Amino acid sequence: MRSWWIGIGAVLSMWLGFAQVPQISSLSASSLPRSGRLRILGANFGAASASSYVTIGGVRCWTTRWSDTAITAYVPESLPIGTHPVQVVTSAGASNTVLLQVTARVRQGRVLWRFQADADYIYHRPAVGPDGTLVVHDSRGYVYALSPEGGLKWIHLAGVPYGPPSIGADGTVYVGTGATVKALNPTNGSLRWQFTDTVGGGLWIIAGPTVGPDGNIYVATETASGVGLGVFSLTPAGQLRWSHRGNPPVFDYGSVGVEIVFGPSRAGRPIDQLYVAFDEQGTGVSSLYAFRMSGGQQWAVPSGGQSQSVFMQRQCQPAVGPDGTVYITTFSSSAGHQLNAFNPENGAVRWRYTPPVGNDVSAPDVGSDGVIYFAHGLSYLSAVNPSGTLRWSVSDGSILQYPIVSPNNQLIVTGGQPQLGTPGFVRGYSTQNGQLLWQVDLGSENGGNQVLYSRPRFSRDSSVVYFGTTLLGQSSTDPYCYLYAVYTGNWVEGDVDGNGCVDDADLLQVLFAFGCSTGCGSEDVNGDGTVDDADLLMVLFNFGSGC
């Protein structure tokens, strides 16, 4: 009998040990804006499960990390400004509560907002939907959807990204991971369907998924020894339309994923072709390919070598001009670094431009007037006419990378650093002559220097540019990165109401908000969390500017 009671006691002891109520010991911040990233530290959180969740103010949160002692959660965008209790709930019960002050997001100069992603970096370009929704896919595999105002809509764990996200006309989000394309519901991020290239076991995506102008999805997967579909197209419902392994077979050495681009096969025609370029190292010469959107390869030509580097272009990214001309940048030991123009009808070389200073080249980008922009020599930004002649070139010795021209053809945005080992910046240059118009310094935090890490993406009206970052050398204890939204138009320091003029209205806004220390808006001009003398002085010093 005694041994029976001992056995029961052991079982009860084990059950109690596994069923301890979670306990919050601390929060990473006492105050955060809506959609802010919060680390919750404590004990007995257990493992992530369907029955475990976090609430702030009684509202369930999106979470991206969950261990027995630490959770990463996001402040619900729906919460009202004020103080709210944070609580962890598991199958063992509800934890104690710790209060969190929830505030509004505050614009910091040109930076309209920045969203902290729970990963080391965002490498691929953000996608912008028809309604302005922003989507990014971070290095840990989480897909985030945000409103144009920076509010978090949803998070979906899709898997490590193998290409940039893309958004359909109905808002459906398409992402690639491994050899799989996933379609996500725009409302809540749930999985609608997935398609996996299983031919010969499948390899991985090397370009796309990209939504074409016809609404279908285009993808390229690695091909080797009979494995992989190659270039293929899916319907919005996830059905295979066609596939082509390429001739020569598509293959990229050390691929990181790029966008597929589209254009007309001849000037004046509707858009009917797509383009990809791969280095094919170890299997053949580097090639530029044209495929018909209806299926089948149109042509493939030797590209003249392809430039891939950690600074400028990790995988060849083609661009298409308004007349259909296809552009790529290349490197070969015989010709050096070049910008190349190809006839879309047959792949014939129209011209090659060799910059006077080579030493690395970025992917090209093309304005609505056909002018091509690219960075080269680490520190030069150049504009080349559609005829292949130099339009202008500028350099101040800083490192420049990833130039992108705005849809309205007024601005080129680049990332860069004053020099290696320093915090980065984002700059806006005039398309007319390369004049520097503005600069946003990204600064240092978490023990690392922040730099732009993805190619930028403009809003459809060109007023905002979005990009992902990384923090080089940051603490490995709590790694994170950002998605930025930067205003590209005319902005004057002290312009509180954003009308382009620092006047009485801005002064009155600061005076009426004077003394605010939580949830302050644009009246907190210097972004230090309080509206005080410093903010008032900034308005006064700039009074009359822009008017």
Side-chain angles (χ1 to χ4, degrees):
M1 177 66 77
R2 180 177 178 181
S3 62
W4 183 81
W5 279 109
I6 291 173
I8 291 294
V11 171
L12 286 172
S13 178
M14 289 177 62
W15 183 83
L16 289 171
F18 283 116
Q20 295 182 48
V21 173
Q23 181 71 29
I24 299 176
S25 59
S26 64
L27 305 178
S28 59
S30 59
S31 176
L32 278 177
R34 296 184 181 112
S35 299
R37 174 176 169 269
L38 178 69
R39 294 187 73 218
I40 304 168
L41 306 178
N44 306 322
F45 298 151
S49 71
S51 60
S52 298
Y53 55 91
V54 173
T55 64
I56 301 178
V59 180
R60 284 202 186 194
C61 307
W62 295 102
T63 58
T64 50
R65 292 183 197 256
W66 193 298
S67 73
D68 193 53
T69 59
I71 300 169
T72 300
Y74 283 84
V75 179
E77 180 67 14
S78 61
L79 284 178
I81 293 171
T83 303
H84 299 278
V86 179
Q87 190 170 49
V88 177
V89 179
T90 70
S91 58
S95 73
N96 59 310
T97 60
V98 178
L99 295 180
L100 176 72
Q101 181 71 30
V102 176
T103 64
R105 284 181 296 280
V106 178
R107 172 177 176 168
Q108 304 295 321
R110 284 192 176 275
V111 179
L112 300 176
W113 51 263
R114 61 178 192 166
F115 172 81
Q116 195 174 88
D118 192 32
D120 289 276
Y121 57 86
I122 296 170
Y123 171 69
H124 294 104
R125 290 181 85 181
V128 180
D131 63 351
T133 294
L134 275 296
V135 173
V136 289
H137 194 171
D138 77 20
S139 58
R140 291 183 58 231
Y142 284 93
V143 180
Y144 307 83
L146 297 99
S147 71
E149 296 75 33
L152 179 62
K153 291 185 170 184
W154 50 259
I155 299 175
H156 177 92
L157 179 57
V160 175
Y162 276 65
S166 192
I167 303 177
D170 64 350
T172 299
V173 175
Y174 302 96
V175 296
T177 178
T180 299
V181 177
K182 296 184 176 183
L184 307 180
N185 189 311
T187 304
N188 56 19
S190 60
L191 182 66
R192 279 187 167 172
W193 55 258
Q194 63 181 35
F195 176 92
T196 301
D197 179 358
T198 58
V199 174
L203 287 174
W204 52 83
I205 293 169
I206 54 177
T210 306
V211 177
D214 59 355
N216 293 307
I217 303 96
Y218 296 85
V219 192
T221 52
E222 200 86 272
T223 61
S225 304
V227 175
L229 285 170
V231 178
F232 62 93
S233 176
L234 303 172
T235 68
Q239 301 300 309
L240 181 65
R241 295 178 63 230
W242 57 261
S243 67
H244 196 295
R245 301 188 74 246
N247 182 24
V250 296
F251 177 86
D252 195 84
Y253 181 80
S255 62
V256 293
V258 293
E259 293 176 282
I260 293 174
V261 295
F262 304 86
S265 55
R266 185 183 299 174
R269 284 185 178 176
I271 295 175
D272 58 355
Q273 290 189 163
L274 63 105
Y275 304 95
V276 288
F278 303 115
D279 62 16
E280 300 173 87
Q281 185 172 330
T283 64
V285 297
S286 299
S287 299
L288 171 66
Y289 299 80
F291 291 87
R292 292 182 292 275
M293 288 170 55
S294 58
Q297 181 175 308
Q298 184 72 9
W299 49 258
V301 296
S303 64
Q306 290 179 18
S307 178
Q308 296 182 194
S309 79
V310 68
F311 293 113
M312 293 284 195
Q313 187 175 193
R314 302 185 187 193
Q315 184 176 336
C316 187
Q317 174 65 70
V320 179
D323 66 349
T325 301
V326 186
Y327 300 96
I328 61 171
T329 51
T330 59
F331 171 78
S332 67
S333 57
S334 58
H337 293 88
Q338 292 182 309
L339 170 65
N340 309 268
F342 297 86
N343 186 323
E345 194 168 2
N346 54 21
V349 175
R350 284 186 163 165
W351 50 258
R352 300 188 193 271
Y353 172 78
T354 304
V357 181
N359 188 22
D360 221 345
V361 287
S362 73
D365 201 39
V366 188
S368 59
D369 59 355
V371 175
I372 310 101
Y373 304 93
F374 72 114
H376 58 95
L378 294 182
S379 62
Y380 288 83
L381 175 64
S382 293
V384 175
N385 292 310
S387 61
T389 59
L390 182 67
R391 189 180 185 93
W392 53 256
S393 185
V394 296
S395 173
D396 67 355
S398 299
I399 298 168
L400 299 177
Q401 56 188 164
Y402 305 143
I404 298 293
V405 62
S406 61
N408 66 7
N409 208 42
Q410 298 296 307
L411 186 72
I412 308 147
V413 167
T414 76
Q417 296 170 268
Q419 59 185 15
L420 294 177
T422 60
F425 55 70
V426 175
R427 287 178 174 174
Y429 290 89
S430 168
T431 55
Q432 297 303 307
N433 53 17
Q435 177 187 355
L436 178 62
L437 301 177
W438 51 261
Q439 176 172 314
V440 172
D441 294 318
L442 299 178
S444 300
E445 58 183 273
N446 200 31
N449 294 324
Q450 186 171 204
V451 297
L452 178 145
Y453 210 59
S454 78
R455 298 179 79 212
R457 175 90 66 186
F458 280 90
S459 61
R460 294 173 184 240
D461 65 359
S462 302
S463 65
V464 184
V465 67
Y466 306 98
F467 55 87
T469 72
T470 189
L471 291 156
L472 298 174
Q474 68 174 312
S475 169
S476 59
T477 303
D478 179 29
Y480 57 82
C481 59
Y482 288 100
L483 170 66
Y484 271 75
V486 173
Y487 180 64
T488 63
N490 295 326
W491 176 80
V492 181
E493 189 171 57
D495 179 20
V496 178
D497 59 13
N499 68 353
C501 170
V502 183
D503 55 14
D504 295 338
D506 303 297
L507 186 62
L508 288 172
Q509 277 192 238
V510 173
L511 288 172
F512 287 147
F514 201 85
C516 172
S517 58
T518 57
C520 308
S522 59
E523 297 84 4
D524 178 19
V525 181
N526 64 1
D528 65 355
T530 60
V531 179
D532 54 17
D533 296 340
D535 303 296
L536 188 60
L537 288 172
M538 290 178 77
V539 175
L540 290 172
F541 286 152
N542 291 283
F543 200 85
S545 297
C547 303

